[in-house]
Amino acid sequence: MTYTLLIGDRSYSSWSLRGWLPFAVFDIPVSVEATILYRPTFATDMARFAPLVRTVPALKTPDGGLLRDSLAIGWHLAEAFPDRGLLPADPVDRAMAQSMIAEMHSGFTALRGACPMNLRTAWEGFVPPEAVLADLARIEALWTAALDRSDGPFLFGDYTLADAFFAPVAMRIAGYALPVSDRARAYVAAHLAHAPLRRWRAMGEVEGPEQPTYEMGLPRRPFPMAAPEA
Protein backbone atom coordinates (compact mmCIF):
# COMPACT_ATOMS: atom_id res chain seq x y z
CA MET A 1 0.00 0.00 0.00
CA THR A 2 1.13 3.54 -0.69
CA TYR A 3 -0.02 7.12 -0.43
CA THR A 4 -2.39 8.55 -3.05
CA LEU A 5 -2.20 12.28 -3.69
CA LEU A 6 -4.78 14.36 -5.54
CA ILE A 7 -3.38 17.51 -7.15
CA GLY A 8 -4.53 20.29 -9.46
CA ASP A 9 -2.77 21.76 -12.49
CA ARG A 10 0.98 21.65 -11.93
CA SER A 11 1.54 24.98 -13.67
CA TYR A 12 -0.90 26.88 -11.48
CA SER A 13 -1.78 25.07 -8.24
CA SER A 14 0.68 26.36 -5.67
CA TRP A 15 -0.85 24.33 -2.86
CA SER A 16 -0.60 21.16 -4.94
CA LEU A 17 3.10 21.91 -5.42
CA ARG A 18 3.50 22.23 -1.66
CA GLY A 19 1.75 18.91 -1.17
CA TRP A 20 3.82 17.07 -3.77
CA LEU A 21 7.33 18.35 -3.07
CA PRO A 22 7.86 16.46 0.22
CA PHE A 23 7.22 13.14 -1.52
CA ALA A 24 9.65 13.93 -4.34
CA VAL A 25 12.38 15.46 -2.19
CA PHE A 26 12.31 12.94 0.63
CA ASP A 27 11.78 9.83 -1.51
CA ILE A 28 8.37 8.88 -0.12
CA PRO A 29 6.43 6.63 -2.53
CA VAL A 30 3.16 8.16 -3.74
CA SER A 31 0.62 7.59 -6.47
CA VAL A 32 -0.59 10.86 -8.00
CA GLU A 33 -4.04 11.62 -9.40
CA ALA A 34 -4.64 14.94 -11.12
CA THR A 35 -7.62 17.15 -11.78
CA ILE A 36 -7.97 20.47 -13.61
CA LEU A 37 -8.94 23.66 -11.82
CA TYR A 38 -12.01 25.60 -12.97
CA ARG A 39 -13.33 22.76 -15.09
CA PRO A 40 -16.86 21.36 -14.57
CA THR A 41 -15.28 18.05 -13.52
CA PHE A 42 -13.20 19.60 -10.73
CA ALA A 43 -15.80 19.15 -8.00
CA THR A 44 -16.75 15.66 -9.14
CA ASP A 45 -13.09 14.62 -9.31
CA MET A 46 -12.63 15.71 -5.70
CA ALA A 47 -15.80 13.98 -4.55
CA ARG A 48 -14.75 10.83 -6.38
CA PHE A 49 -11.37 10.92 -4.66
CA ALA A 50 -12.90 10.99 -1.18
CA PRO A 51 -15.88 12.42 0.69
CA LEU A 52 -15.41 15.90 2.20
CA VAL A 53 -12.58 16.84 -0.17
CA ARG A 54 -13.18 20.37 -1.43
CA THR A 55 -9.68 21.58 -2.28
CA VAL A 56 -6.37 20.24 -3.57
CA PRO A 57 -4.09 18.74 -2.51
CA ALA A 58 -5.69 15.86 -0.68
CA LEU A 59 -3.97 12.68 0.47
CA LYS A 60 -5.08 9.15 1.25
CA THR A 61 -2.71 7.46 3.68
CA PRO A 62 -1.76 3.77 3.45
CA ASP A 63 -3.82 3.01 6.56
CA GLY A 64 -6.98 4.64 5.22
CA GLY A 65 -6.61 8.14 6.63
CA LEU A 66 -7.55 11.26 4.66
CA LEU A 67 -5.66 14.55 4.81
CA ARG A 68 -7.44 17.45 3.13
CA ASP A 69 -4.87 20.24 3.47
CA SER A 70 -1.22 20.79 2.58
CA LEU A 71 -0.32 21.73 6.16
CA ALA A 72 -1.89 18.54 7.48
CA ILE A 73 -0.01 16.57 4.82
CA GLY A 74 3.29 18.14 5.86
CA TRP A 75 2.81 17.52 9.57
CA HIS A 76 1.71 13.94 8.91
CA LEU A 77 4.76 13.15 6.79
CA ALA A 78 7.13 14.71 9.32
CA GLU A 79 5.65 12.44 12.01
CA ALA A 80 5.48 9.34 9.80
CA PHE A 81 9.08 9.70 8.55
CA PRO A 82 11.03 11.25 11.43
CA ASP A 83 14.35 10.06 9.99
CA ARG A 84 13.95 11.79 6.59
CA GLY A 85 14.72 15.34 7.76
CA LEU A 86 11.44 16.96 6.77
CA LEU A 87 11.95 19.35 9.70
CA PRO A 88 15.30 20.56 11.06
CA ALA A 89 16.83 18.47 13.84
CA ASP A 90 17.94 21.49 15.87
CA PRO A 91 15.06 22.44 18.22
CA VAL A 92 15.45 26.18 17.65
CA ASP A 93 15.52 25.71 13.89
CA ARG A 94 12.58 23.32 14.07
CA ALA A 95 10.47 25.84 15.97
CA MET A 96 11.41 28.53 13.46
CA ALA A 97 10.58 26.26 10.53
CA GLN A 98 7.20 25.26 11.96
CA SER A 99 6.31 28.90 12.61
CA MET A 100 7.34 29.91 9.08
CA ILE A 101 5.29 27.10 7.56
CA ALA A 102 2.21 28.09 9.56
CA GLU A 103 2.61 31.77 8.65
CA MET A 104 2.96 30.90 4.98
CA HIS A 105 -0.12 28.72 5.15
CA SER A 106 -2.32 31.45 6.59
CA GLY A 107 -0.70 34.67 5.39
CA PHE A 108 0.68 36.72 2.50
CA THR A 109 -2.73 37.01 0.91
CA ALA A 110 -1.82 40.20 -0.96
CA LEU A 111 1.06 38.48 -2.75
CA ARG A 112 -0.94 35.37 -3.44
CA GLY A 113 -3.89 37.34 -4.79
CA ALA A 114 -1.98 39.79 -6.96
CA CYS A 115 0.58 37.32 -8.31
CA PRO A 116 -1.01 33.95 -9.09
CA MET A 117 1.56 31.22 -9.61
CA ASN A 118 2.08 30.50 -13.31
CA LEU A 119 5.00 28.24 -14.22
CA ARG A 120 4.34 28.46 -17.98
CA THR A 121 5.26 32.10 -18.44
CA ALA A 122 6.81 35.10 -16.74
CA TRP A 123 5.56 38.65 -16.98
CA GLU A 124 7.06 42.02 -17.85
CA GLY A 125 6.03 45.30 -16.29
CA PHE A 126 4.20 44.09 -13.18
CA VAL A 127 4.09 46.90 -10.61
CA PRO A 128 3.56 45.48 -7.11
CA PRO A 129 1.11 47.42 -4.95
CA GLU A 130 2.04 48.46 -1.44
CA ALA A 131 0.36 45.45 0.15
CA VAL A 132 2.49 43.11 -1.97
CA LEU A 133 5.63 45.03 -1.06
CA ALA A 134 4.70 44.66 2.61
CA ASP A 135 4.32 40.91 2.16
CA LEU A 136 7.69 40.74 0.42
CA ALA A 137 9.34 42.65 3.26
CA ARG A 138 7.94 40.21 5.81
CA ILE A 139 9.01 37.23 3.68
CA GLU A 140 12.53 38.61 3.38
CA ALA A 141 12.70 39.09 7.15
CA LEU A 142 11.72 35.45 7.70
CA TRP A 143 14.12 34.15 5.07
CA THR A 144 16.97 36.26 6.43
CA ALA A 145 16.42 35.04 9.99
CA ALA A 146 16.72 31.43 8.81
CA LEU A 147 19.56 31.98 6.35
CA ASP A 148 21.56 33.87 8.98
CA ARG A 149 21.57 30.68 11.01
CA SER A 150 22.20 28.22 8.17
CA ASP A 151 24.04 30.16 5.47
CA GLY A 152 21.85 28.40 2.87
CA PRO A 153 21.41 27.33 0.23
CA PHE A 154 17.98 26.50 1.61
CA LEU A 155 16.40 28.06 4.66
CA PHE A 156 17.89 25.64 7.17
CA GLY A 157 20.81 24.46 5.06
CA ASP A 158 19.34 21.22 3.76
CA TYR A 159 15.89 21.22 2.16
CA THR A 160 12.97 20.99 4.61
CA LEU A 161 9.21 21.42 4.61
CA ALA A 162 9.77 25.15 5.07
CA ASP A 163 11.34 25.30 1.63
CA ALA A 164 8.48 23.29 0.14
CA PHE A 165 6.00 25.80 1.52
CA PHE A 166 7.94 28.79 0.25
CA ALA A 167 8.71 27.28 -3.17
CA PRO A 168 5.65 28.89 -4.82
CA VAL A 169 6.65 32.24 -3.32
CA ALA A 170 10.07 31.86 -4.93
CA MET A 171 8.34 31.07 -8.23
CA ARG A 172 6.23 34.22 -7.94
CA ILE A 173 9.32 36.33 -7.29
CA ALA A 174 10.94 34.83 -10.38
CA GLY A 175 7.86 34.99 -12.59
CA TYR A 176 6.90 38.56 -11.77
CA ALA A 177 10.47 39.88 -11.27
CA LEU A 178 9.48 41.12 -7.83
CA PRO A 179 11.90 43.47 -6.06
CA VAL A 180 13.92 41.56 -3.46
CA SER A 181 17.45 41.62 -2.13
CA ASP A 182 20.42 39.80 -3.64
CA ARG A 183 20.24 37.29 -0.83
CA ALA A 184 16.58 36.55 -1.52
CA ARG A 185 17.34 36.20 -5.24
CA ALA A 186 20.02 33.64 -4.40
CA TYR A 187 17.44 31.66 -2.45
CA VAL A 188 15.03 31.93 -5.39
CA ALA A 189 17.83 30.64 -7.65
CA ALA A 190 18.24 27.59 -5.41
CA HIS A 191 14.59 26.75 -6.04
CA LEU A 192 14.86 27.36 -9.78
CA ALA A 193 17.78 24.92 -9.92
CA HIS A 194 16.11 22.32 -7.68
CA ALA A 195 15.57 19.11 -9.66
CA PRO A 196 12.17 18.13 -8.18
CA LEU A 197 10.70 21.56 -8.88
CA ARG A 198 12.10 21.57 -12.40
CA ARG A 199 10.52 18.17 -12.97
CA TRP A 200 7.17 19.43 -11.66
CA ARG A 201 7.32 22.42 -13.99
CA ALA A 202 8.21 20.23 -16.99
CA MET A 203 5.25 17.94 -16.29
CA GLY A 204 2.96 20.96 -16.05
CA GLU A 205 3.98 22.27 -19.47
CA VAL A 206 2.53 19.21 -21.20
CA GLU A 207 -0.71 18.90 -19.22
CA GLY A 208 -2.84 20.77 -21.74
CA PRO A 209 -3.70 24.29 -22.87
CA GLU A 210 -3.08 27.32 -20.70
CA GLN A 211 -5.71 28.35 -18.19
CA PRO A 212 -7.19 31.72 -19.30
CA THR A 213 -7.95 32.50 -15.65
CA TYR A 214 -4.24 33.17 -15.13
CA GLU A 215 -3.79 35.66 -18.00
CA MET A 216 -2.35 38.92 -16.57
CA GLY A 217 -2.67 41.12 -19.65
CA LEU A 218 1.04 41.95 -19.47
CA PRO A 219 3.89 41.35 -21.92
CA ARG A 220 5.29 37.86 -21.57
CA ARG A 221 8.81 36.56 -21.23
CA PRO A 222 10.14 33.01 -20.84
CA PHE A 223 9.92 31.63 -17.36
CA PRO A 224 13.42 32.07 -15.91
CA MET A 225 15.76 29.16 -15.41
CA ALA A 226 17.72 31.29 -12.92
CA ALA A 227 16.80 34.11 -10.59
CA PRO A 228 15.84 37.33 -12.45
CA GLU A 229 18.19 40.27 -12.46
CA ALA A 230 17.44 43.17 -10.16
Side-chain angles (χ1 to χ4, degrees), residues 151-165:
D151 202 30
F154 292 107
L155 292 172
F156 298 95
D158 294 331
Y159 198 99
T160 70
L161 282 177
D163 301 296
F165 269 72

Side-chain angles (χ1 to χ4, degrees), residues 100 103-104 107-108 111-112 132-147 155 166 169-170 172-173 178 180 184 187:
M100 291 174 71
E103 186 168 349
M104 178 64 254
F108 310 117
L111 173 65
R112 286 154 52 186
V132 171
L133 294 175
D135 276 355
L136 289 171
R138 175 60 178 173
I139 288 164
E140 284 221 44
L142 295 175
W143 288 2
T144 298
L147 293 168
L155 292 172
F166 278 101
V169 170
R172 287 173 164 97
I173 290 171
L178 298 176
V180 295
Y187 177 62

Side-chain angles (χ1 to χ4, degrees), residues 4-17:
T4 305
L5 179 69
L6 178 67
I7 61 170
D9 313 43
R10 290 176 175 88
S11 294
Y12 309 109
S13 180
S14 57
W15 291 109
S16 294
L17 174 58

Side-chain angles (χ1 to χ4, degrees), residues 53-136:
V53 172
R54 295 293 181 269
T55 57
V56 289
L59 182 71
K60 294 177 182 177
T61 68
D63 57 7
L66 178 66
L67 299 160
R68 302 188 305 275
D69 181 272
S70 60
L71 186 60
I73 292 169
W75 292 160
H76 167 84
L77 294 176
E79 291 179 354
F81 300 92
D83 60 335
R84 301 288 178 97
L86 278 82
L87 290 170
D90 179 88
V92 174
D93 287 347
R94 179 177 288 242
M96 184 182 292
Q98 289 173 311
S99 296
M100 291 174 71
I101 291 165
E103 186 168 349
M104 178 64 254
H105 185 266
S106 63
F108 310 117
T109 54
L111 173 65
R112 286 154 52 186
C115 305
M117 189 181 81
N118 187 338
L119 302 183
R120 294 195 179 196
T121 190
W123 305 103
E124 295 279 7
F126 177 79
V127 178
E130 288 298 319
V132 171
L133 294 175
D135 276 355
L136 289 171

Side-chain angles (χ1 to χ4, degrees), residues 1-5 23 28-32 59-64:
M1 296 180 67
T2 188
Y3 289 94
T4 305
L5 179 69
F23 290 96
I28 301 170
V30 65
S31 173
V32 176
L59 182 71
K60 294 177 182 177
T61 68
D63 57 7

